[in-house]
Amino acid sequence: GQNIDQPTEMTATEGAIVQINCTYQTSGFNGLFWYQQHAGEAPTFLSYNVLDGLEEKGRFSSFLSRSKGYSYLLLKELQMKDSASYLCAVRDSNYQLIWGAGTKLIIKP
Amino acid sequence: NAGVTQTPKFRILKIGQSMTLQCTQDMNHNYMYWYRQDPGMGLKLIYYSVGAGITDKGEVPNGYNVSRSTTEDFPLRLELAAPSQTSVYFCASSFETGSYEQYFGPGTRLTVT
């Protein structure tokens, strides 16, 4: 079966750095997405990786290793507004998105 | 641009009732999707469409139906509502597949009692 694993919840301090991991086992791979979802709101796009390596976008970076079935989202200089759930999603061989359950990130002052 | 809009925002249904969740996008996107999100679970694809007149089943289509008569609209029909359909429903759209991101509507919170 297809599976995406992420930690359920993480806590970090304002101004710090946090890394949210995602491991996947899917039938084929056609890209990996990270989305942010604030409580009660819709998911919004953060990043896309299809080749191995690091993609940097401001305070957020996303890394992919296809051979290890592994990605992480790195958030720097954490702000209170970064408190949200972070969803990892993999596009499989049928070009469907398979979603992880999300990681709830709690930022403390 | 309004993006993706959904109505209603909230709805309570009795078991056995039917309803239609509306979804409209104004970005001229070809692809549209319906997901449900249950607490502690990932988004599950119900149905999707690659263009007007073309729809296909996703991972959890049972109990639902869709149509796509125009590029803009992609309504989701629930027939004979069951408590298992209590969930938050998101409509999304994208220009194409591949690297193109999906844009989500604000969601419909549905309770079936």
Side-chain angles (χ1 to χ4, degrees):
Chain A
Q2 309 208 85
N3 199 46
I4 311 267
D5 284 318
Q6 307 177 231
T8 303
E9 188 174 295
M10 299 181 70
T11 302
T13 305
E14 190 177 14
I17 299 172
V18 71
Q19 178 175 311
I20 301 174
N21 295 326
C22 170
T23 57
Y24 62 89
Q25 289 177 305
T26 56
S27 56
F29 178 85
N30 285 297
L32 185 144
F33 293 79
W34 284 96
Y35 280 76
Q36 181 188 59
Q37 186 177 25
H38 285 100
E41 297 184 8
T44 55
F45 170 77
L46 286 178
S47 70
Y48 171 75
N49 295 71
V50 68
L51 299 177
D52 290 351
L54 190 68
E55 294 280 344
E56 296 188 78
K57 195 186 288 188
R59 293 189 299 114
F60 292 12
S61 303
S62 56
F63 171 83
L64 174 67
S65 168
R66 288 172 296 170
S67 62
K68 294 181 179 174
Y70 168 70
S71 172
Y72 67 73
L73 182 69
L74 192 71
L75 290 74
K76 302 176 187 175
E77 301 168 13
L78 285 170
Q79 302 174 10
M80 297 304 292
K81 67 179 182 179
D82 297 330
S83 291
S85 289
Y86 292 86
L87 313 180
C88 173
V90 173
R91 196 178 294 286
D92 69 8
S93 57
N94 293 321
Y95 284 85
Q96 299 300 334
L97 276 183
I98 309 300
W99 295 80
T103 298
K104 183 178 180 181
L105 179 62
I106 299 167
I107 310 295
K108 296 187 174 178
Chain B
N1 270 4
V4 181
T5 57
Q6 291 182 238
T7 55
K9 284 188 167 51
F10 303 92
R11 183 72 186 267
I12 299 175
L13 277 182
K14 293 190 185 304
I15 294 171
Q17 288 185 322
S18 300
M19 75 165 295
T20 299
L21 281 65
Q22 302 292 344
C23 175
T24 301
Q25 54 93 8
D26 64 359
M27 297 174 282
N28 202 32
H29 284 172
N30 294 315
Y31 286 66
M32 295 188 74
Y33 315 84
W34 273 106
Y35 290 98
R36 60 177 289 171
Q37 187 176 39
D38 300 317
M41 307 281 286
L43 290 160
K44 300 292 186 186
L45 182 65
I46 305 171
Y47 271 94
Y48 68 100
S49 169
V50 303
I54 306 169
T55 62
D56 209 346
K57 295 178 181 178
E59 185 182 356
V60 291
N62 290 345
Y64 308 94
N65 272 302
V66 294
S67 59
R68 183 103 182 264
S69 57
T70 66
T71 299
E72 295 78 20
D73 299 307
F74 190 42
L76 177 72
R77 178 84 178 159
L78 276 73
E79 305 282 1
L80 299 174
S84 60
Q85 293 178 304
T86 293
S87 188
V88 179
Y89 291 84
F90 288 104
C91 178
S93 73
S94 64
F95 181 66
E96 285 291 345
T97 185
S99 64
Y100 289 90
E101 65 186 271
Q102 294 184 9
Y103 294 81
F104 284 78
T108 295
R109 188 173 296 273
L110 176 68
T111 302
V112 182
T113 62

